Amino acid sequence: MEYCSAVLAVCIVAIAAKYHCRGSVGGVLNDERNFCAPAPLPQNFVFRGIFQDLVHGDTATVQRAASKKHSSKMNLISLLSAVLLLAPRGVDAFLASPRLAPMPQVQRTSTSVRSKVTSRSNNNLTSNNAAIKTASSVGPLMLSSSGEDFCKIQGRKKRVVMGYRAMTALYIAVFLYSASKSIAPNTLLAITSYVAMPAGLSYILVGAAKHDRLGSDTYKRINLSLLEYAVLGLSVFVLSGGGNPILKVAYIITLINTIKGYAYGVLGLDKKSGSDTLFQDFMKGVKSTIKGICSDPKNMKSFGYWSATLMVASMKLLKLKEIVHAVTSAVAAKDIAMLLARFNRLSLLALMIYTLKDAADRDRLSGTTFIQLNYLCALVLGIVGVIGGVMTPLGGTNVAFAAFFAVNGLSSYFAKSVL
């Protein structure tokens, strides 16, 4: 930059020298031998006046004006030359001033840092791809790729919930139909206990279906127990030759809806997300139930439920023995139907109590389903104990177990309320 300024200054000085040669009015007027060519006449107002004076012959005035103009021009040229020579130093001093904040320098990223960033990016990309694959592997029940599949799943869920509600309403209607007739109080109490079990279990399954819990072992067991109850109940109708028509409709609806509920619990609402077939899951459930009955109780509550299960199961086996004896002895079909109806109720009650024993082993009695099951078992055993006679050994035992179930249900309810 200093070199360029020096060159410009030299050029300006050369021009000034040439101007001095051309612009000397005295040389033009007094020295005709001046080797410089005469300069052209300037067009500004000062030289216009000089030209007029020259025309009128006032030579002294012309010389003084020209000399004054020439000195002012030389002073201006000298000032420009000094500015050009000093400008580079001033610029350097300005840039070196500490008041100026240094410009931020962009640092080059080292190879190691770049490699770390690249590896992290690759890891993130890999994890994202793994997450996408995992999400894609979830069954259609969780992530439906089609709106049509989603509508089918919701439709199945809605229909199975409506089926459980219809079951509950039908069993309650059976009780109301029986209560409208003139029957003995003990018979009405018996009907109450008979109807309370399927009605209560149907109501429990309504909540399970609404909250997508049919796949739990507890609700699969309840579905199978109600399925058995409906099959044996229809067999009773066939053997007896008639009966309460509302109860027959309730059995048919129970048969259809429990099959659907159990299938949805095993296979999923999409019928594809299950890992086992219906037969495989059924055999696993049978083995698990036998193992649970034969296993030692884990705590005192479990021991109480286990004892009640053994009592009801023993009565069930005794009733089964009576049925076999009646069939082999060519007893009337109506008598066999009566024995089969009692066996059916005992079988349902035994599975209900065993479900509570399994929950006690897993310390899950605080669940809403198990609280409701405790109340339901207490109601049924209490009515049976009162009908059979509280002072009899069997009646007293039933009442004692009814109190046990009621206390456990209340304690679980209050413990859940506190938590």
Side-chain angles (χ1 to χ4, degrees):
M1 186 174 181
E2 292 180 356
Y3 176 76
C4 295
S5 300
V7 172
L8 289 174
V10 171
C11 293
I12 292 173
V13 172
I15 293 171
K18 185 175 181 181
Y19 180 79
H20 176 74
C21 178
R22 285 187 173 185
S24 180
V25 182
V28 174
L29 297 177
N30 300 328
D31 190 2
E32 293 179 358
R33 294 173 298 175
N34 195 327
F35 59 91
C36 295
L41 184 66
Q43 297 299 319
N44 54 49
F45 71 95
V46 177
F47 282 93
R48 190 179 298 114
I50 295 173
F51 179 74
Q52 292 176 353
D53 291 340
L54 182 60
V55 173
H56 289 87
D58 193 354
T59 304
T61 303
V62 173
Q63 287 181 350
R64 285 193 300 271
S67 176
K68 184 176 180 180
K69 183 64 178 177
H70 175 70
S71 61
S72 62
K73 289 287 185 178
M74 292 303 297
N75 291 335
L76 180 59
I77 292 172
S78 299
L79 180 60
L80 291 174
S81 300
V83 169
L84 290 175
L85 289 173
L86 295 176
R89 297 180 181 179
V91 171
D92 293 338
F94 177 77
L95 293 176
S97 175
R99 296 182 179 179
L100 293 177
M103 296 294 291
Q105 300 294 326
V106 179
Q107 297 181 354
R108 297 179 62 86
T109 306
S110 63
T111 306
S112 60
V113 175
R114 287 199 301 269
S115 62
K116 290 180 181 179
V117 173
T118 304
S119 63
R120 290 180 181 177
S121 300
N122 293 333
N123 292 335
N124 292 336
L125 182 60
T126 304
S127 61
N128 291 338
N129 292 335
I132 292 173
K133 291 181 179 178
T134 304
S136 301
S137 64
V138 178
L141 179 59
M142 300 301 294
L143 294 176
S144 178
S145 59
S146 172
E148 183 178 356
D149 293 340
F150 178 77
C151 292
K152 288 182 179 179
I153 291 172
Q154 294 301 313
R156 291 167 183 167
K157 179 179 177 180
K158 183 178 180 180
R159 287 190 293 271
V160 75
V161 170
M162 291 176 61
Y164 289 133
R165 287 175 175 170
M167 290 162 52
T168 306
L170 286 170
Y171 287 116
I172 294 175
V174 170
F175 169 76
L176 296 176
Y177 177 81
S178 301
S180 64
K181 295 186 175 182
S182 299
I183 56 177
N186 286 346
T187 305
L188 184 60
L189 285 175
I191 293 174
T192 303
S193 63
Y194 304 157
V195 172
M197 289 189 293
L201 292 178
S202 300
Y203 176 77
I204 290 173
L205 287 174
V206 170
K210 289 174 63 177
H211 297 93
D212 298 323
R213 294 201 301 267
L214 292 178
S216 171
D217 290 340
T218 297
Y219 302 109
K220 287 190 290 186
R221 187 182 299 116
I222 293 176
N223 268 310
L224 288 176
S225 62
L226 282 175
L227 175 60
E228 179 191 11
Y229 185 77
V231 171
L232 295 179
L234 290 174
S235 301
V236 170
F237 263 90
V238 173
L239 292 173
S240 63
N244 190 329
I246 302 177
L247 184 59
K248 186 176 182 179
V249 175
Y251 284 149
I252 294 174
I253 298 299
T254 301
L255 177 65
I256 296 173
N257 210 60
T258 51
I259 291 175
K260 292 168 59 177
Y262 177 70
Y264 292 153
V266 176
L267 305 177
L269 288 172
D270 58 350
K271 301 181 181 180
K272 300 176 182 178
S273 58
S275 58
D276 296 328
T277 62
L278 294 177
F279 179 76
Q280 290 174 342
D281 185 83
F282 176 77
M283 294 306 299
K284 286 182 178 180
V286 171
K287 292 178 182 179
S288 175
T289 302
I290 295 174
K291 183 179 178 180
I293 293 175
C294 298
S295 63
D296 296 332
K298 301 293 177 37
N299 48 61
M300 289 303 298
K301 289 184 178 180
S302 177
F303 177 78
Y305 293 124
W306 179 69
S307 301
T309 303
L310 291 181
M311 183 192 72
V312 177
S314 299
M315 296 171 63
K316 173 184 174 181
L317 292 177
L318 290 175
K319 195 62 63 178
L320 180 62
K321 181 181 177 180
E322 293 180 11
I323 293 172
V324 173
H325 183 268
V327 171
T328 57
S329 301
V331 178
K334 289 186 178 180
D335 295 335
I336 297 176
M338 186 68 66
L339 293 174
L340 186 60
R342 293 173 182 173
F343 173 83
N344 194 16
R345 293 189 290 269
L346 288 172
S347 180
L348 185 60
L349 180 60
L351 284 172
M352 290 168 56
I353 298 174
Y354 170 74
T355 301
L356 289 171
K357 190 263 181 187
D358 180 65
D361 287 338
R362 297 182 289 116
D363 195 19
R364 296 289 304 277
L365 290 175
S366 59
T368 303
T369 295
F370 305 115
I371 294 174
Q372 294 171 345
L373 279 176
N374 269 308
Y375 295 155
L376 196 56
C377 291
L379 175 64
V380 173
L381 288 175
I383 292 176
V384 171
V386 170
I387 293 175
V390 178
M391 302 307 297
T392 62
L394 183 59
T397 304
N398 286 330
V399 172
F401 276 122
F404 172 75
F405 286 110
V407 170
N408 284 336
L410 290 173
S411 62
S412 297
Y413 173 78
F414 288 118
K416 182 178 181 180
S417 300
V418 171
L419 295 177

